[in-house]
Amino acid sequence: SLTFSESLWNVYFDAEPGEGYDKHLVLDPNVVYTGGIGIYEGTVLIDGNGAVIDLQDGLGIWVTAEEGQEVILDVRYTTIMNGHDYGIYYAGYSEGSIRNCNFINDNMGVKLLDNSNVMIKNCNFINNEQYGVAIVSEIPVCNVSYCNGWNNGEEDYMENCPG
């Protein structure tokens, strides 16, 4: 089978509203999406359909919001791999959910800071250099259920690890 490659940024930029989100990214499982994106406004759904996002040793997908701002990233059925620092990073007052995803060979699969609020369900964290999920301050809310982690460097899950 042939596998094609496309920039995740291009898909994000061209995404239309859908399913109640400002941007609905529908990925094709026959395409490898490359590079990360930054989300600092609106609501976004990445509907992976089993697709792979290869961050190519770049930063990853980051989400940040100021107090009073609604910035949400929901991700489902996606493999996110090869992030230099993280696969997905939530900061500020951002929110989101991650369901049925794989995080492979990132430094940290999911990294949470500040007042972020994230639900992670049915995900796998595999061969990440430091952690599968890292809460890097004491304030974020992170609900993890039905997830697996193995071969992650320091720990599968780390909470309240400032700095």
Side-chain angles (χ1 to χ4, degrees), residues 85-138:
D85 191 31
Y86 48 82
I88 299 178
Y89 169 98
Y90 288 87
Y93 290 84
S94 61
E95 299 178 26
S97 68
I98 304 169
R99 296 177 185 197
N100 302 302
C101 292
N102 300 305
F103 292 85
I104 303 170
N105 199 39
D106 300 306
N107 184 45
M108 297 180 207
V110 176
K111 183 177 178 180
L112 306 176
L113 282 153
D114 307 322
N115 293 284
S116 56
N117 186 344
V118 179
M119 188 272 303
I120 303 171
K121 187 173 184 178
N122 294 332
C123 293
N124 295 307
F125 299 94
I126 308 160
N127 293 330
N128 294 293
E129 190 173 326
Q130 287 190 333
Y131 307 111
V133 176
I135 299 174
V136 188
S137 64
E138 297 177 3

Side-chain angles (χ1 to χ4, degrees), residues 128-156:
N128 294 293
E129 190 173 326
Q130 287 190 333
Y131 307 111
V133 176
I135 299 174
V136 188
S137 64
E138 297 177 3
I139 302 171
V141 173
C142 182
N143 294 302
V144 177
S145 59
Y146 305 107
C147 293
N148 300 300
W150 63 92
N151 291 336
N152 295 296
E154 295 182 35
E155 301 265 343
D156 293 329

Side-chain angles (χ1 to χ4, degrees), residues 33-44:
Y33 297 88
T34 57
I37 55 174
I39 299 166
Y40 53 89
E41 63 184 4
T43 58
V44 177

